[in-house]
Amino acid sequence: MRILLQEAVSLENLIAIYIAWIVAKTGLSAPDHPRIHFVTAADMAMRHGSPEDRGLELQALYNRDEGAIYLPQGWRPDDLRQKSTLLHEVVHHVQRANNIVLPCIAAYERQAYELQIEWLREEGVADPYALIKTNELGIYIASACRDGS
């Protein structure tokens, strides 16, 4: 029980640091902390709306309706890639709390990826795109509205 409590405190501290960093970078207001849920790979896939065996590696998800972040069971706070993905999801939480309105859900990804890349560079990662397994084109596609806007 003591270890779980320490991990929860560490996660809360990490989220507080991320919110402060995002606010400093964007000028947005600091929200309350999002709820964090640890779920199975199957639950992550279901929440994402894709089959579990599709080969998609889901690192984290943000549910705008709930204001909650879903992390996979086994999420490790010492893994830089996983920490950066949490930061990415916290960006979505800050966007939501500040009532940022964009033309489509995908458009919220651009800022989240830009801040994730910037944070990784500040952490000393020479090639953040390689670490998070994407590139500028992948981010463009992920953040493009399907109607072309």
Side-chain angles (χ1 to χ4, degrees):
M1 181 66 167
R2 184 175 181 84
I3 292 172
L4 291 176
L5 182 58
Q6 287 174 340
E7 287 177 4
V9 170
S10 296
L11 188 56
E12 282 298 310
N13 289 341
L14 189 57
I15 289 169
I17 290 166
Y18 286 171
I19 288 173
W21 186 87
I22 293 163
V23 165
K25 295 294 180 179
T26 64
L28 295 170
S29 298
D32 291 337
H33 288 202
R35 288 186 312 278
I36 304 292
H37 303 285
F38 291 93
V39 297
T40 65
D43 195 29
M44 290 281 284
M46 189 254 332
R47 290 179 178 285
H48 184 263
S50 43
E52 183 181 3
D53 60 357
R54 187 172 129 194
L56 187 62
E57 183 184 1
L58 295 171
Q59 294 284 310
L61 295 171
Y62 183 69
N63 183 306
R64 291 183 65 79
D65 294 333
E66 298 173 12
I69 295 173
Y70 288 83
L71 297 172
Q73 292 174 341
W75 184 87
R76 294 187 359 248
D78 60 338
D79 182 297
L80 196 57
R81 180 177 181 216
Q82 290 181 8
K83 285 172 60 175
S84 78
T85 304
L86 175 59
L87 175 112
H88 178 113
E89 302 307 332
V90 174
V91 170
H92 291 314
H93 184 69
V94 172
Q95 291 169 330
R96 174 187 179 260
N98 281 269
N99 298 313
I100 305 295
V101 178
L102 296 175
C104 68
I105 288 293
Y108 292 93
E109 294 300 324
R110 166 123 347 251
Q111 182 182 42
Y113 274 115
E114 287 172 353
L115 289 169
Q116 182 179 10
I117 296 294
E118 184 174 351
W119 182 85
L120 283 166
R121 285 191 173 125
E122 288 183 13
E123 291 293 310
V125 176
D127 187 356
Y129 294 99
L131 182 68
I132 64 173
K133 300 180 181 180
T134 193
N135 56 35
E136 290 181 16
L137 178 60
I139 293 170
Y140 172 79
I141 291 169
S143 62
C145 295
R146 300 302 175 234
D147 67 358
S149 58

